[in-house]
Every structure is written in structure tokens, then in C-alpha cells.
Amino acid sequence: MTTAITTRSAQRCFGGTQGFYAHASVSTGTEMRFAVYVPPHAAGAKLPALYYLAGLTCTEETFAIKAGAQRLAAELGLVLVTLDTSPRGLDLPGDSASWDFGVGAGFYVDATEAPWARNYRMYSYVVDELPAVIEANFPVSPERRGITGHSMGGHGALVIALRNPGRYRAVSAFAPIANPMAVPWGEKAFGGYLGADRAGWEAYDASVLMARTAFPGEILVDQGEADQFLATQLRPDALERAAAVSGQKLRLRRHDGYDHSYWFIETFVGDHLAWHAERLR
């Protein structure tokens, strides 16, 4: 597995560096772009890292530009890693036909159906390949990883943590697609990437996974009550039911008046960074 990276740009930010990078991915067979904020730190230090998975149509730049997280990360000594939401540049049939499937909408699964199976392997990319790249090129501790995300990325963060509890010491989510098997976004994506057999979808549904096995630690989820996708696509009530079955410690906070936008994320990102920093010390 290659760990060589290309620096696209790097800027000083709150005493640290916000950089944007690319590398040749084995998982996707394409160039993958990612961004890393490294806070000020002592020479030789190995820092905890928080991986952020973005939502539909977003890129590695979205959180870095919109969330206002660097100031807090600098204060907390936390590396922030963001990544693109799908392979790009493949020109597969139909991959740009809609905004909620294909380019910008990898759903953090390993596809099994043609023509997606060869390249749409975002689950493996996030779990295995990207951490190896980050830990080989940045001052990051392999033992201190957290993961979070928004919407489609919240789904990905929950699924990845629940399936790989030994790799992550903390997990949180903003407005996650909590039960994708039961909502239109998930049915479209899973049907296309994973095929018609719904039994195969269960490995990528956070509510199904949580009902079976609890993550060894409390999970933080924030949800806006004015979110335009709340009832039709997100279904946080499914997470609550799953937590009751498995005994999962779940802190699901509902916020009046907040929608699905980055204004919501910017409001509560400080809570999430503090949550992870405390658990990754």
C-alpha cells in the first residue's frame, strides 16, 4: 500500500497548518483527495486524530472551510482529517446522473455490484487505507483515533465505529442517516452499490448494527428539529430503539430551530471536538 502524498496547498492557521493533499488510492483505483489540519505541537509529539466524513455532494474541503473547527482543534491539540465523498474522474455510466448517487455520494460502503465494485470502496478506504496514509505522513498516534460525520457521513461514522470498535476510541455524528435501509437515500444507494438482497445491506445500517452490538463507550448524536430531512431520510428514533435493545449508551440531543446546514454543524462542532479530545487523551 502506497503512502506517498502530493501537497496541493498548505496554509498557516491558528499556529498550525491546514493542508490539502492527494494520493493514488489502492482501494478506489483513483486519485483521492483529503485535507489535514495539524495544530501547533511539540517536536516529536504524536497527536490524536479526528476523522470527519462529509455528506452528499461534499468534498474534502467542505468541513475545513465551513465548520470553523481549526481554532478549537488548535486549542485541544487535535488533528482534523477530512476526505472526499467518492472516487472521481471515472466517468462510469450514470455516476453523475443524480446528486444522491455516484459522484459525491459513495455512502462509505464497499460496492459489490457492477460497475461500482471495482472503485467504489469507500468503506475500505476510510477504515484501512487512509489511516495508514495519515499515520505515515503526519504526527498522528495510531492508538488515538476518533470518527465523526454529517448526514451520509454521520451514517458512515456510526457504521465504521460499530464495526471496528478496536480502531476508534470515540464516535459522534451530526444529523446522521440513522436507518438507511428504511429511507429513500439509503434504498437508492444500497440497491445500486450492494444489489437487491437486503440482507447484505444490514452491514451498513447503523441502527441494525447498534441493536446487535454496542460500541464500548457513549455515542454523541446531534439532530436539528427543523431539519428538512428529519422525518423522511434521517430517522434518529431508529437509533434510540436500537440503543434500548443493546444497551448502547447514546446521547441523542435534539435542537429546536436547527436545520441540516453547516450553520448547525458550526454551532455544535465545539462540543464534538471537546467530546473526542477528552476520550482521545
Side-chain angles (χ1 to χ4, degrees), residues 15 27 35 39 59 74 88 204-205 220 222 251-252 276 280:
S27 300
T59 73
R88 295 182 189 262
Y204 296 104
D205 188 301
L220 173 64
D222 278 310
R251 188 178 303 186
L252 175 56
H276 286 272
L280 298 178

Side-chain angles (χ1 to χ4, degrees), residues 128-211:
D128 296 315
E129 185 172 9
L130 184 59
V133 171
I134 297 299
E135 289 154 15
N137 289 280
F138 299 92
V140 168
S141 168
E143 290 78 33
R144 294 192 289 165
R145 296 184 197 134
I147 191 165
T148 188
H150 172 233
S151 193
M152 176 183 73
H155 135 76
L158 292 172
V159 165
I160 286 168
L162 286 162
R163 288 180 58 174
N164 302 276
R167 290 178 176 264
Y168 302 93
R169 285 169 51 178
V171 57
S172 67
F174 300 90
I177 305 172
N179 189 194
M181 291 181 64
V183 301
W185 279 342
E187 289 182 326
K188 180 177 182 177
F190 288 5
Y193 296 137
L194 304 174
D197 184 0
R198 294 176 67 92
W201 301 5
E202 294 181 355
Y204 296 104
D205 188 301
S207 293
V208 172
L209 295 171
M210 186 181 290

